[in-house]
Amino acid sequence: MPTLTVKKTALWAAGVIAALTLISTTIAQQPRAVDAKVLQTAGTAKDALPGTWLTYGLTQTEQRYSQLKQIDESNVGKLGLAWSAPLAPAGSRGGTEGTPLMWNHTIFQPMDNSIVYAFDAFTGEQKWMYDAKIDPATRTHMCCGTHNRGLALFDGKIILAANDARLIELDANSGKELWQSKVADINQYYSFTIAPRIAGDKVIVGVGGGEFFIRGFFAAYNLKDGSLAWKFYTVPPKPGEPLEDKAQEAAAKTWTGDWAKYGGGAPVWDGLVYDPETNLVIAGTGNAEPWPQEMRGIPKSEWGKWDNLYTCSIVAVDAKTGKLKWYYQTVPTDSWDFDSVGGFIMADVQIEGKTRKVIMQAPKSGVFYILDRTNGQFISAEPFVPVNWVTGFDKKNNGKPIINPDAYYDQTNSVVIYPGGGGAHNWAPMSYNPNAGLVYLPYSAGSYTFNAAAEPDPRAGGGAHGLGRGGQDKKTTPMPIWGPDNVGRGGLQARDPKTNQIKWVKTGRGGSIGGGTMTTASNLLFQVAGNTLYAYKADTGDELLALPFNLPGAAPPITYMIDNTQFVGFATGTQFLAMKVGGTAKMPDPPPAPAFGRGRGAPPPPRAPAPAPAEAPHGQEKQ
Ligand code: CA
């Protein structure tokens, strides 16, 4: 019947319209997928997805400078808890360190032992949880704890560098595992604590393990299937083995003697950036291993003459091929665990009347380095805490550090080195506010006494690095110390990279291990230090907020905007906390103290931040 046909057609058409409406609504609710172009705009004034936090350092320059202005000087004092969500307890080594991401109304939080949480970013409701199920038996093969500092996000997928050196891709909506690649062998003492970074169609990751006897490297994997694209080794192969390329040929000429039995070291466990303008991947490399240079085959008559490339260096490679483009060694012949690994910041800065495309790093050595990121050209290096291992920088030789020869040590001569154990600045993120023109740097100042042992032992705790015990009974050569005189034992400093002047200092706020920062276009600087969220005026350092939370852990804060509300969020060792102006949710109770033994997640009692000890015990240092 014709009438019925018409009715059927009308019903069919109505059904199609309904279905199309449903599809279009669904599409409208899906945010734009994150690709290389979106990442290039992430966190900038041209942000394709404003209000999100899509990559470890917010922008690919890793400035941790947010465009958001709803929270400002007038209302930041009214920040209160909007929501909290429980997290698996952090490990026993001082709380969690993970920076979350925010995309698609969702917080993605990495936690210790390679657990990832997804929370609704407005309500805190848990969407999913993923556990990489690290075999507890492998933990003795991880040099420096079970932290996970961050995640990468690309095309609706989350990429996790799991503690046991596996790279794992998850569906961001469901938490379902899509692929995993074994990057290195945990049984060979390789591990991961690093946040992977996206470089075009690849994901870059670097290994930890330099406190054991590894050959360090970083590597690129193809995002489409997790296959290896390239690998850059940070120390050459064992003598006699084939050299992979010209970079390894050059490196091999800077080592001597029987060094290879201890691997060489130079892990890549934190600082890593991708610069889309130059298509360079720039990585920071860790200490040479073992620490005393004589154990790396260098006879006393030749101390300081072998650089041991590419240990303690900033290396830039082509993102497509992994081939070396430039390097700068921040500490030649490292003998003091001065990993050149702390996070980088890239910026365009006016220096001596010219706009320079700089990369900045403040590693454990206590020196603030500024280089031209396009070619590795030296711009400046200035101590940010008292130092004595270096006497200057040779400008005729691209700023090569001039090592104080008295800083070398052996079994009979000990040295007191400034800065000390754990380094002057470790993993806690710096930030840069281009309006204020300042870099915010959490730091520690101190010293440590070095002398060599007879033999390193990778299973002997502090002796793993070839250090002798104590050193106080040895002959010690006094050395002059230079650097700023207003930085106390540790805290937060605001530096002007144009002049290397320290504009303001908050002593006792964070240090080399904790105290990560984030800054905004409304002239605010946020810091999570100890058990308190602080906010300061970015230009002057005037304190605007000190919000205690009485929970363990010291992960860095992020900020994001959702449904026209700006949040400040961060992980503690036991809870994720999201703050907003006028938030009135009840702060979670601290976890109960353990009945006995060493606490997992037990909070330290609330107290004023203590100054860093003059000699931090190396057994507790981070990487
Ligand atoms: Ca180290």
Side-chain angles (χ1 to χ4, degrees), residues 211 287 337 339 364 623:
E211 310 306 341
N287 58 286
D337 187 30
D339 305 57
K364 287 166 69 176
Q623 311 219 22

Side-chain angles (χ1 to χ4, degrees), residues 328-379:
Y328 173 83
Q329 193 172 34
T330 64
V331 185
T333 324
D334 169 50
S335 300
W336 314 277
D337 187 30
F338 281 158
D339 305 57
S340 189
V341 166
F344 296 108
I345 289 177
M346 298 190 287
D348 293 353
V349 178
Q350 286 283 323
I351 295 174
E352 293 175 353
K354 281 190 211 158
T355 302
R356 303 295 302 266
K357 292 184 177 301
V358 308
I359 186 162
M360 301 182 270
Q361 192 189 38
K364 287 166 69 176
S365 68
V367 174
F368 196 91
Y369 302 88
I370 304 180
L371 307 176
D372 183 322
R373 69 176 181 271
T374 67
N375 56 17
Q377 194 180 75
F378 178 81
I379 295 174

Side-chain angles (χ1 to χ4, degrees), residues 32 69 71 79 125 144 146 155 175 187 205 261 263 292 334 336-337 353 422 448 467 500 505 536 551 599 601:
R32 183 169 167 187
K69 292 180 175 175
I71 300 173
L79 274 190
E125 185 187 350
C144 307
T146 56
D155 192 26
N187 294 310
V205 73
K261 63 180 173 180
D334 169 50
W336 314 277
D337 187 30
Y448 186 79
L467 287 194
N500 273 313
V505 173
Y536 316 99
L551 294 166

Side-chain angles (χ1 to χ4, degrees), residues 1 25 58 71 102 120 202 256 276 330 365 371 392 395 406 436 458 472 486 507 527 537 543 552 616:
M1 297 283 287
T25 307
L58 176 60
I71 300 173
M102 203 293 278
D120 182 296
K202 300 179 183 68
T256 188
T330 64
S365 68
L371 307 176
K395 291 203 171 157
D406 289 339
Q472 283 80 355
N486 62 340
T507 53
Q527 184 192 27
K537 284 189 185 179
E543 185 178 301

Side-chain angles (χ1 to χ4, degrees), residues 424-475:
H425 171 233
N426 206 290
W427 66 273
M430 307 190 292
S431 55
Y432 173 64
N433 188 313
N435 282 341
L438 297 173
V439 173
Y440 306 100
L441 167 60
Y443 68 92
S444 286
S447 63
Y448 186 79
T449 304
F450 288 82
N451 80 294
E455 191 70 15
D457 178 353
R459 295 169 302 277
H465 323 293
L467 287 194
R469 296 218 172 267
Q472 283 80 355
D473 56 336
K474 314 288 182 187
K475 179 172 168 277

